[in-house]
């Protein structure tokens, strides 16, 4: 059976039993900063086990890419020296999320192994958990193995926590386990004593591990029961393939032989001839696989974290190449065998082939330069040794630390030259250096105190996850208390916290900072804002309970709903930007933006206001892209590459060498560090709510999305409903009804106006009958509010005629203004000229004017003093008449 057939058969077997087949996650898990690399099939389901996320299906099966080079599961040192340790391997697994448990898991495992795969039952052994301080012995599993598999008691071993309690890492789901072992043959038995899977690793190979997930291990070491017991099984593809192909070493299977052949060819050494050379060939074959998969999953060599692991693996492979006597670069001739063998199952290998080869070449060049210096210096040091032939630890450490000379290589050289290495001294130096590194990390009294002013590096993981369990507080200081000792702060106080890892987005690029909570042992705080402080990502935390200590672990959890709203508005902003450029023109440049949970605001350069038609077109185009549900992709790349692809960069913005490019199909491509939807469909409805000018040449639009649009839609519907009931017409008639009513209202107003004018006129006519007589002159003064200027003039004329001889003074309020009119009969024009009189009165209402002696008008700003002016008119007329006698 080929390895391909084994994969297929395994997945088919569990698909037939109602399992959803889930593809492998990448080696770098998108949602779990607690793991450097995937190390088991269950990793990608971690949150489904703990109940934090609903699983895609109650049962699942997968073939997972795994790498065990660090942390709890680290096989690096054994690789090549044993028949079945690897850095990279594939794990077959079936999983139950609170669905089936031990009986089914054990039953199916047996059916597959002893039935479908046809392994002879008398060669199979199992182990179960024998109990420890953490949990009792797993008697149930033991009983089930007897019942289901009919295994005799002597082939069921009880082992301790070390062997039969599985943990993912220092935190995460865990539980007792049960392993199936296969007996490769009596001839492999160790020389003396009893031979069982517990004592004889050479003879027995563990092929399948069934974990009965029951607990969640917390950061503080506590075991919390999971919401429901789950199943997690793992069977190494390389091991089961070896067993099925009748091989005693995984390296003798179809998974490795082609790679070993390629390596042997380059080295000019036949595999199986010299044990020491075989170790090196196996290391190269194993590491070539790890390198290919790491690069295909986006890891590049670097000096820390994942990039360092890749570099380390590459260097080990290169080193073993040298041991085989290979000169010059060679990995690029081995790795193609990996791509060839696994590319059909893992297309990412084919897609990244060129990158994998290029990285191998570059690292080999780099290694050659580094190692030759380190080696020369080591030779020199050895040459200088006098007395005891021991290379001092300090010297060794210097070569290791400064010149990157790998200790492995130093060991080999020392062995050849017949000298010893002071490894203890080396360890001491290493420990000292670790201590120095640790000290520089201590947050102590925060930025103002010990280690003050130092930038606190925080890994931002908020693009992939909204929750980090076990984030470490690396520095903290109280906010707004000057030089007071910063910690601890009490309830109700605000503290600025720096974490080593955070899902919280700090305000930048227009996107507001995240809010949420931090929970630790004896501590709970509300993150009210996240900002980019002078020292890095700063969580503004309102203490709700307990005290926060530097170095303590906390769970950092972002307010999910709020972040979702922000994401929608951010992706919508990119769509809006692209739509503006398409519809308004490519001269449109972003001049500022705000991405908040409740709205988005976008300022851009443009010379004029946008017509309603244009706004409607923009809105339509954006919504079209939303309905298209296009994927939103974020990629990291070099700035030059990004600009070459036409990504929109903001003028005047500073970018690093590596940038993040967010693209939505061919429609939008922008440099952006913000958080986005996975697909445009998540935005919901996009609605422009405002367009206006904010400065010359700069326009501002505001828009809403998602639940903001829904809320607005609801409000609008509510308004329409109220109007329907107020106007008693269905919605389709609302506009016509309002128009009809407005027309009627206008007609009524006009009629009212006419009525008012008539009654004003009538009243004044009436008063003309009995006009006041001052110094023998008839004077009629009064208000003519409600009349227009023409009507007023006509009225004045009529009144003048009615008086036959006299003076008419009319005052009118016209909105915020006052107007006055004076009409004088011909006989009196010399004594009381209208223009003169009106000018005098206008002064009282804050204005001016004038005119002819018979008729004159004036305006003023103060209508409240009209009556006063009319009163004063009498006196003014009297004065003039008296003067002219
Ligand atoms: N998680 C367990 C393991 O890795 C079973 O899948 O062995």
């Amino acid at each position: 059976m080929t390895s391909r057939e084994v994969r297929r058969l395994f997945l088919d077997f569990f698909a037939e039993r109602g399992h959803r087949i889930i593809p492998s996650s990448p080696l770098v898990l998108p949602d779990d900063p607690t793991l450097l690399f995937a190390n088991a099939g269950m990793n990608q389901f971690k949150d489904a086990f703990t109940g934090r996320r609903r699983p895609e299906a109650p049962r699942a099966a997968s073939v997972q890419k795994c790498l065990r080079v660090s942390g709890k599961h680290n096989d690096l040192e054994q690789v090549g020296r044993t028949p079945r340790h690897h850095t990279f391997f594939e794990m077959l697994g079936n999983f139950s999320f609170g669905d089936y448990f031990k009986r089914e898991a054990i039953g199916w495992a047996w059916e597959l192994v002893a039935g479908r795969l046809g392994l002879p039952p008398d060669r199979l052994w199992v182990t179960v958990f024998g109990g420890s301080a953490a949990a009792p012995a797993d008697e149930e599993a033991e009983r089930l193995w007897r019942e289901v598999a009919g295994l005799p008691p002597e082939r069921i071993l009880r082992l301790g926590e070390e062997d039969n309690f599985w943990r993912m890492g220092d935190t995460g789901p865990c539980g007792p386990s049960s392993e199936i072992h296969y007996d490769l043959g009596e001839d492999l038995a160790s020389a003396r004593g009893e031979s069982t899977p517990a004592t004889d690793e050479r003879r027995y190979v563990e092929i399948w591990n069934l974990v009965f997930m029951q607990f969640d291990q917390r950061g503080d070491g506590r075991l919390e029961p999971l919401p429901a017991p789950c199943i997690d099984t793992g069977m190494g593809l390389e091991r089961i393939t070896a067993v099925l192909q009748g091989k005693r070493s995984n390296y003798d299977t179809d998974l490795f032989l082609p790679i070993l052949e390629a390596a042997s060819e380059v080295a000019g050494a036949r595999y199986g001839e010299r044990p020491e050379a075989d170790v090196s060939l196996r290391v190269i074959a194993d590491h070539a696989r790890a390198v290919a998969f790491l690069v295909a999953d986006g890891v590049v060599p670097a000096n820390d974290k994942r990039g360092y692991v890749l570099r380390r693996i590459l260097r080990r492979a290169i080193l073993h190449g040298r041991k085989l006597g290979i000169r010059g670069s060679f990995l690029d001739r081995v790795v193609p065998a990996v791509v060839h063998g696994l590319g059909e199952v893992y297309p990412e290998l084919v897609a990244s082939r060129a990158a994998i080869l290029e990285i191998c070449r570059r690292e080999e060049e780099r290694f050659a330069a580094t190692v030759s210096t380190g080696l020369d210096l080591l030779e020199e040091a050895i040459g200088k040794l006098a007395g005891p032939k021991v290379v001092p630890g300090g010297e060794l450490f210097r070569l290791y630390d400064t010149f990157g000379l790998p200790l492995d290589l130093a060991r080999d050289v020392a062995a050849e030259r017949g000298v010893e290495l002071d490894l203890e001294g080396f360890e001491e130096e290493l420990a000292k250096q670790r201590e120095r590194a640790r000290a520089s990390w201590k947050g102590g009294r925060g930025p103002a105190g010990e280690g003050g002013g130092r930038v606190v590096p925080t890994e931002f993981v908020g693009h992939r996850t909204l929750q980090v369990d076990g984030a470490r507080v690396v520095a903290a200081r109280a906010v707004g208390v000057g030089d007071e000792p910063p910690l601890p702060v009490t309830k109700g106080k605000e503290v600025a916290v720096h974490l080593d890892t955070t899902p919280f987005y700090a305000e930048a690029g227009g996107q507001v900072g995240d809010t949420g909570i931090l929970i630790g042992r004896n501590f709970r705080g509300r993150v009210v804002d996240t900002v980019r402080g002078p020292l890095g990502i700063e969580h503004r935390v309102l203490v709700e309970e307990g005290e926060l200590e530097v170095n303590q672990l906390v769970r950092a959890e972002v307010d999910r709903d709020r972040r979702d709203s922000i994401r929608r508005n951010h992706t919508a902003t990119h769509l809006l930007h692209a739509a503006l450029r398409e519809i308004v023109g490519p001269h449109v440049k972003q001049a500022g933006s705000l991405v908040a949970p409740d709205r988005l605001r976008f300022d851009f350069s443009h010379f004029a206001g946008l017509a309603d038609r244009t706004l409607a077109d923009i809105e339509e185009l954006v919504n079209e892209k939303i309905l298209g549900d296009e994927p939103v992709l974020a990629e990291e790349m070099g700035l030059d590459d990004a600009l070459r692809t036409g990504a929109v960069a903001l003028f005047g913005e500073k970018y690093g060498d590596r940038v993040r490019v967010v693209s939505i199909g061919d429609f939008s491509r922008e440099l952006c560090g913000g958080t986005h939807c996975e697909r445009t469909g998540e935005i919901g409805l996009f609605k422009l709510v405002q367009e206006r000018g904010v400065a010359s040449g700069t326009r501002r639009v505001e828009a809403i999305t998602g639940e903001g649009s829904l809320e607005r839609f609801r409000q609008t519907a509510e308004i329409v409903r109220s109007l329907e009931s107020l106007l008693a017409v269905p919605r389709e008639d609302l506009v016509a009804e309002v128009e009809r009513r407005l027309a009627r209202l206008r007609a009524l107003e006009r009629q009212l106006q006419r009525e008012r004018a008539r009654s004003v006129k009538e009243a004044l006519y009436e008063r003309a009958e009995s006009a006041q007589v001052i110094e023998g002159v008839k004077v009629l003064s009064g208000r003519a509010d409600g009349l227009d200027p023409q009507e007023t003039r006509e009225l004045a004329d009529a009144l003048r005629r009615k008086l036959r001889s006299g003076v008419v003074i009319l005052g009118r309020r016209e909105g915020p203004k006052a107007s006055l009119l004076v009409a004088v009969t011909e006989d009196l024009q010399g004594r009381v000229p209208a223009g003169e009189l009106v000018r005098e009165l206008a002064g009282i209402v804050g204005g001016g004017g004038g005119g002819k002696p018979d008729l004159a008008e004036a305006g003023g700003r103060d209508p409240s003093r009209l009556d006063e002016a009319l009163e004063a008119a009498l006196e003014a007329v009297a004065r003039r008449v008296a003067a002219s006698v």
Side-chain angles (χ1 to χ4, degrees):
M1 198 181 287
T2 63
S3 49
R4 292 198 65 163
E5 286 164 342
V6 180
R7 278 191 209 96
R8 195 63 272 151
L9 188 144
F10 181 88
L11 294 178
D12 286 348
F13 180 86
F14 283 102
E16 283 157 23
R17 282 153 190 79
H19 290 62
R20 167 97 51 99
I21 306 305
I22 307 276
S24 172
S25 79
L27 281 175
V28 176
L29 282 144
D31 295 319
D32 194 344
T34 66
L35 278 180
L36 224 40
F37 299 106
N39 66 17
M42 54 71 67
N43 297 155
Q44 66 168 324
F45 306 117
K46 181 175 115 173
D47 287 346
F49 284 123
T50 54
R52 285 190 195 104
R53 163 170 83 76
R54 261 171 63 92
E56 294 93 327
R59 306 174 174 187
S62 68
V63 180
Q64 172 69 44
K65 300 185 276 188
C66 297
L67 196 70
R68 292 196 169 173
V69 288
S70 59
K72 195 165 217 71
H73 301 279
N74 183 352
D75 294 339
L76 187 60
E77 301 295 330
Q78 274 105 294
V79 170
R81 307 207 170 266
T82 77
R84 41 186 169 260
H85 279 100
H86 306 292
T87 53
F88 173 86
F89 66 100
E90 294 169 80
M91 189 180 275
L92 310 166
N94 57 293
F95 308 93
S96 147
F97 310 107
D99 183 18
Y100 61 83
F101 200 43
K102 290 183 195 178
R103 175 172 288 277
E104 292 84 346
I106 289 177
W108 288 333
W110 187 256
E111 193 184 335
L112 180 63
V113 169
R116 198 67 76 87
L117 295 176
L119 297 185
D122 58 351
R123 287 204 176 200
L124 293 169
W125 291 61
V126 301
T127 63
V128 298
F129 181 51
S132 74
D138 194 351
E139 282 167 10
E140 190 189 356
E142 188 172 348
R143 199 186 63 243
L144 284 167
W145 279 118
R146 267 190 258 143
E147 274 176 40
V148 171
L151 277 177
E154 65 275 13
R155 276 197 279 132
I156 304 178
L157 304 180
R158 283 186 175 209
L159 300 180
E161 241 189 86
E162 188 111 316
D163 296 291
N164 281 82
F165 197 92
W166 199 85
R167 289 180 163 86
M168 180 183 101
D170 294 332
T171 61
C174 59
S177 70
S178 182
E179 296 171 349
I180 305 179
H181 293 252
Y182 181 76
D183 183 355
L184 289 173
E186 218 169 320
D187 58 310
L188 287 174
S190 311
R192 67 189 100 83
E194 187 192 33
S195 178
T196 73
T199 61
D200 220 336
E201 264 192 28
R202 240 157 54 93
R203 172 171 170 183
Y204 300 93
V205 46
E206 177 213 324
I207 53 174
W208 203 347
N209 187 15
L210 317 181
V211 182
F212 311 124
M213 288 292 187
Q214 279 168 303
F215 306 105
D216 184 10
Q217 172 133 10
R218 296 308 176 89
D220 56 13
R222 267 180 312 133
L223 289 182
E224 292 259 327
L226 292 182
C230 296
I231 289 295
D232 151 35
T233 86
M235 172 150 66
L237 174 72
E238 294 73 8
R239 292 178 176 205
I240 189 67
T241 301
V243 167
L244 291 170
Q245 294 180 355
K247 308 292 186 195
R248 289 178 166 184
S249 163
N250 297 357
Y251 289 92
D252 293 334
T253 63
D254 64 343
L255 285 164
F256 286 92
L257 281 175
I259 314 174
L260 283 168
E261 259 162 44
S264 316
E265 194 164 309
V266 177
R270 281 254 300 280
Y271 182 59
E273 247 169 23
R274 259 188 332 121
E276 236 352 79
D278 287 350
V279 170
S280 292
L281 288 170
R282 283 194 292 264
V283 170
I284 291 169
D286 172 278
H287 288 12
R289 288 176 12 125
V291 166
F293 277 96
L294 279 168
V295 175
D297 279 349
V299 180
V300 291
N303 282 335
D304 64 353
K305 299 196 178 144
R306 301 185 170 105
Y308 181 68
V309 171
L310 171 58
R311 176 160 283 163
R312 173 129 193 260
I313 293 175
L314 271 163
R315 288 188 164 176
R316 281 176 54 99
I318 298 165
L319 182 62
H320 281 275
R322 291 181 173 257
K323 274 181 81 175
L324 289 169
I326 303 174
R327 291 283 163 258
S329 80
F330 69 97
L331 279 174
D332 57 352
R333 280 175 284 159
V334 179
V335 166
V338 180
V339 180
H340 185 257
L342 288 162
E344 222 170 295
V345 186
Y346 298 100
E348 64 268 34
L349 291 177
V350 180
S352 310
R353 189 175 194 276
I356 301 169
L357 297 183
E358 181 57 28
I359 282 177
C360 286
R361 276 183 218 119
R362 271 202 243 157
E363 279 299 298
E364 292 198 83
E365 276 166 27
R366 206 186 153 112
F367 180 91
T370 320
V371 166
S372 59
T373 314
L375 277 181
D376 289 350
L377 291 171
L378 180 63
E379 294 282 353
E380 208 175 285
I382 291 174
K384 279 198 217 139
L385 290 180
K389 296 280 182 203
V390 182
V391 181
E395 181 63 18
L396 207 49
F397 182 75
R398 192 175 70 89
L399 294 177
Y400 163 86
D401 193 38
T402 317
F403 298 96
L405 180 69
L407 203 56
D408 275 352
L409 187 62
R411 276 205 195 98
D412 292 341
V413 174
E416 268 169 45
R417 300 284 309 260
V419 299
E420 305 250 313
L421 300 178
D422 172 15
L423 291 176
E424 249 172 58
F426 174 86
E427 288 299 333
E428 270 168 35
E429 290 295 329
L430 193 63
K432 272 193 232 159
Q433 193 217 32
R434 283 208 191 103
E435 184 50 41
R436 281 195 299 275
R438 219 173 56 78
S440 77
W441 267 84
K442 219 194 301 167
R445 294 163 60 89
E450 163 188 343
R454 152 188 72 72
V455 170
V456 183
T458 302
E459 189 187 1
F460 173 66
V461 295
H463 287 306
R464 311 190 299 257
T465 181
L466 295 186
Q467 181 182 324
V468 171
D469 287 324
R472 188 173 296 282
V473 174
V474 291
R477 81 184 146 81
V479 174
V481 291
D483 289 335
E484 269 177 56
L487 294 176
V489 292
T490 46
K491 189 169 166 168
K493 287 267 165 26
E494 200 175 314
V495 57
V497 179
H498 294 271
L499 300 174
D500 62 349
T501 307
T502 187
F504 283 83
Y505 183 83
E507 175 172 1
Q511 181 176 331
V512 300
D514 279 330
T515 63
I517 47 168
L518 295 187
I519 305 177
R521 207 166 0 156
N522 306 325
F523 175 80
R524 186 189 163 89
R526 171 144 292 284
V527 180
V528 291
D529 197 5
T530 311
V531 296
R532 258 154 241 260
L535 303 184
I537 299 181
E538 197 176 292
H539 305 78
R540 292 306 184 93
V541 181
L542 211 55
V543 179
E544 289 185 344
E545 227 174 85
E547 285 178 3
L548 185 73
E549 284 159 27
V550 168
N551 265 332
Q552 90 171 91
L553 297 181
V554 292
R555 178 206 294 173
E557 200 178 335
V558 174
D559 181 342
R560 188 174 292 270
D561 290 347
R562 184 170 175 278
R563 166 71 90 77
D564 283 346
S565 303
I566 294 172
R567 291 195 308 155
R568 280 194 277 273
N569 282 336
H570 204 154
T571 305
T573 302
H574 284 210
L575 290 176
L576 169 64
H577 190 181
L580 281 165
R581 288 165 67 98
E582 185 163 321
I583 290 172
V584 181
H587 64 277
V588 164
K589 297 264 179 309
Q590 177 167 354
S593 75
L594 171 73
V595 178
D598 59 336
R599 79 209 144 107
L600 65 96
R601 198 174 72 199
F602 190 79
D603 294 350
F604 59 99
S605 51
H606 185 55
F607 37 84
L610 301 184
D612 287 351
R613 187 60 245 160
T614 311
L615 291 171
D617 286 347
I618 292 165
E619 206 172 82
E620 200 171 308
L621 180 56
V622 171
N623 281 308
E624 187 186 306
K625 296 295 170 187
I626 293 171
L627 290 176
D629 196 21
E630 311 208 9
V632 182
L633 292 179
E635 300 166 85
E636 281 225 349
M637 57 179 82
L639 180 58
D640 292 344
D641 290 337
L643 297 177
R644 256 199 298 281
T645 65
V648 179
L650 295 192
F651 180 72
E653 190 83 8
K654 279 215 178 59
Y655 295 102
D657 294 342
R658 302 287 300 167
V659 293
R660 192 161 169 272
V661 175
V662 175
S663 35
I664 306 167
D666 293 332
F667 186 59
S668 157
R669 224 170 147 71
E670 287 191 36
L671 302 193
C672 176
T675 63
H676 285 272
C677 299
E678 272 163 30
R679 307 188 70 94
T680 56
E682 288 163 46
I683 295 171
L685 179 68
F686 171 86
K687 182 86 193 86
L688 284 172
V689 291
Q690 200 182 60
E691 192 274 345
R692 65 194 172 99
V694 280
S696 112
T698 306
R699 310 296 305 176
R700 168 172 291 178
V701 284
E702 283 198 18
I704 51 178
T705 66
E707 74 278 32
S709 302
L710 182 62
E711 185 47 37
R712 193 178 170 90
F713 177 74
R714 277 207 196 100
Q715 284 170 0
T716 311
E718 194 43 54
I719 292 170
V720 171
R721 242 195 318 279
S722 311
L723 287 176
E724 282 178 321
S725 88
L726 280 172
L727 301 174
V729 294
R731 64 172 52 206
E732 55 276 18
D733 296 342
L734 274 177
V735 174
E737 175 67 14
V738 169
E739 277 171 354
R740 202 178 62 73
R741 288 187 186 228
L742 282 176
R744 184 164 159 62
L745 188 65
R746 273 193 298 273
L748 286 172
E749 271 170 359
R750 269 198 303 275
Q751 190 179 338
L752 185 65
Q753 165 74 10
R754 276 195 301 274
E755 293 296 328
R756 227 191 254 133
R758 209 183 59 216
S759 70
V760 165
K761 279 184 208 159
E762 271 171 16
L764 282 165
Y765 275 127
E766 222 163 274
R767 281 183 46 207
E769 307 283 345
S770 52
Q772 261 180 305
V773 181
I774 294 169
E775 305 280 344
V777 173
K778 279 195 249 175
V779 180
L780 177 62
S781 74
R783 300 281 292 245
D785 296 348
L787 300 190
D788 66 24
Q790 184 53 33
E791 281 172 327
T792 315
R793 274 194 290 274
E794 284 166 12
L795 175 66
D797 198 38
L799 290 170
R800 182 169 54 180
R801 263 182 277 120
K802 196 165 169 58
L803 290 179
R804 275 194 291 275
S805 170
V807 179
V808 176
I809 306 134
L810 296 178
R812 222 159 36 90
R813 175 192 278 273
E814 233 191 326
K817 285 200 249 131
S819 84
L820 288 163
L821 183 145
V822 176
V824 182
T825 50
E826 208 177 341
D827 55 322
L828 293 171
Q829 285 171 10
R831 301 166 71 189
V832 188
E836 232 177 67
L837 183 57
V838 91
R839 194 172 308 120
E840 182 181 336
L841 300 179
I844 298 174
V845 293
K852 290 177 279 170
D854 63 330
L855 190 79
E857 284 173 279
R861 293 180 305 277
D862 191 356
S864 68
R865 296 183 68 187
L866 270 172
D867 288 339
E868 205 181 309
L870 292 176
E871 195 71 25
L874 302 179
E875 194 264 332
V877 171
R879 218 184 319 114
R880 285 188 169 73
V881 174
S884 63
V885 170

